[in-house]
Amino acid sequence: MLSRRSFALMGAAFGTSAALPAFARAPLGVTLPSFHRVKVGTTEVTALLDGVLALSPDYFSGVDPANMAAILESVGQDSTLETPINTFVVNTESGTYLVDAGLGGAQLFGPGLGNTLANLTAVGITPDQIDGVILTHAHPDHAEGLVDAEGKAVFPNAEIVIHEAEMKFWGDDAILAQAPDSAKGLFESARRTLGAYADRTRQVAESEVFPGLTLKHAPGHTMGHSVLHIASGDQQMMIMGDTLHNIAIHTAVPEAGFGFDTDATLAAQSRRKLLEMAAADGILTAFTHVNFPGFGKFKAKDSGYVYLPADWV
């Protein structure tokens, strides 16, 4: 067997040889736009990576610090939680729909975000081909991509579909007056982005919004937070938005709160209900803040869940 000294001697010997060719080095490339497609019956769902931001475990509440450390260690995470922002295109026989629009040009969470529009181009879809934008809710990382730097609508032919409770909340002056200063920017963002589509916004309760696409109310993170259920043939999928914000933390401790929750207790109730449904029925799911492309299934385990990422096939 060769020893470490043997390797050193071999290296010294070959290092003096002028006859050996130099290793060719491939040129560095560029990061390609990120997207991934799956089929749900005859419906095509394409995940787009808007970007990745860094969160702190401090955003999560209701988790014992020792338990938090163990959860993060079990998945190789540390005090910086690399958190994706995913958006989704749903192509059906009746139209092409974007589920959430990412951050657009807003530099609210640092550089490297707001890539939804570029990735739409990469998959061959132009903004004018989007028939509708279905919003899970109106937080900036879901709605700022609706407008350009001048505040004008990016999607000229799209109808905005949003839960009526979401519109009511962000448009309520009395709620705005009572909001802490740290939250007022969220109201400004929602009002500005939604205002660009004021003449083509459809407010709905829980209902089928397009053929095969049903918006389901899942309040708590925001009061109108919703998920999109896709049904095609005998297959189904749920795009769950911000039902969870970290797959390790929120599967181990579904009751954990998140700093941007409007009502953390109600958000936890919605999370538990949806994850139980997904686990019981084997439903394929997609999330905004699960590692790209965000597709996977759940199994119940003890008081929480196990997440099973879908294969990239």
Side-chain angles (χ1 to χ4, degrees):
M1 295 179 64
L2 291 173
S3 66
R4 184 175 300 177
R5 181 172 179 274
S6 301
F7 277 113
L9 291 173
M10 290 169 64
F14 283 117
T16 62
S17 174
L20 286 176
F23 286 107
R25 184 172 183 273
L28 296 176
V30 296
T31 301
L32 294 175
S34 300
F35 58 88
H36 181 66
R37 285 181 167 132
V38 298
K39 293 295 288 291
V40 182
T42 60
T43 296
E44 182 182 75
V45 180
T46 305
L48 308 175
L49 181 61
D50 194 70
V52 179
L53 56 84
L55 293 179
S56 164
D58 293 339
Y59 277 99
F60 296 84
S61 60
V63 186
D64 177 83
N67 190 21
M68 175 69 79
I71 292 169
L72 298 182
E73 183 180 359
S74 71
V75 293
Q77 290 185 324
D78 53 24
S79 59
T80 300
L81 307 180
E82 297 295 334
T83 304
I85 299 174
N86 304 319
T87 59
F88 302 91
V89 177
V90 180
N91 269 327
T92 74
E93 295 174 352
S94 63
T96 301
Y97 311 104
L98 181 64
V99 182
D100 292 335
L103 265 167
Q107 296 294 308
L108 301 175
F109 303 117
L113 302 165
N115 297 307
T116 289
L117 199 59
N119 286 329
L120 271 176
T121 300
V123 299
I125 299 173
T126 56
D128 62 295
Q129 292 175 314
I130 298 295
D131 299 302
V133 180
I134 304 168
L135 290 176
T136 61
H137 61 298
H139 275 166
D141 53 327
H142 298 256
E144 279 285 348
L146 291 173
V147 297
D148 61 17
E150 287 74 41
K152 297 180 181 179
V154 168
F155 303 101
N157 300 318
E159 174 188 35
I160 301 299
V161 177
I162 188 170
H163 196 281
E164 59 189 9
E166 191 75 356
M167 286 292 291
K168 181 179 180 181
F169 179 86
W170 297 113
D172 192 317
D173 290 336
I175 296 176
L176 172 59
Q178 297 174 21
D181 289 343
S182 59
K184 292 188 186 300
L186 298 177
F187 284 83
E188 188 278 330
S189 172
R191 291 181 176 198
R192 178 171 47 81
T193 55
L194 295 172
Y197 296 81
D199 60 344
R200 45 193 167 109
T201 296
R202 177 160 44 117
Q203 301 181 48
V204 300
E206 188 161 312
S207 61
E208 185 176 54
V209 294
F210 298 106
L213 307 179
T214 299
L215 201 66
K216 294 180 177 291
H217 196 201
H221 178 57
T222 64
M223 298 319 294
H225 180 268
S226 303
V227 303
L228 185 69
H229 181 266
I230 301 170
S232 179
D234 61 354
Q235 297 184 29
Q236 58 181 325
M237 178 180 185
M238 292 187 74
I239 299 178
M240 293 197 181
D242 281 12
T243 297
L244 51 77
H245 287 83
N246 180 276
I247 195 65
I249 296 170
H250 271 145
T251 52
V253 188
E255 281 64 45
F258 183 70
F260 284 89
D261 288 342
T262 301
D263 185 329
T265 299
L266 184 57
Q269 292 171 357
S270 292
R271 181 180 307 115
R272 175 73 73 174
K273 177 181 177 181
L274 287 168
L275 296 188
E276 284 182 358
M277 180 190 308
D281 296 341
I283 300 174
L284 181 64
T285 63
F287 294 88
T288 303
H289 300 302
V290 169
N291 290 342
F292 185 81
F295 300 127
K297 295 186 177 184
F298 289 87
K299 286 187 177 181
K301 181 181 179 182
D302 302 326
S303 60
Y305 302 88
V306 174
Y307 178 67
L308 306 172
D311 291 333
W312 284 46
V313 293

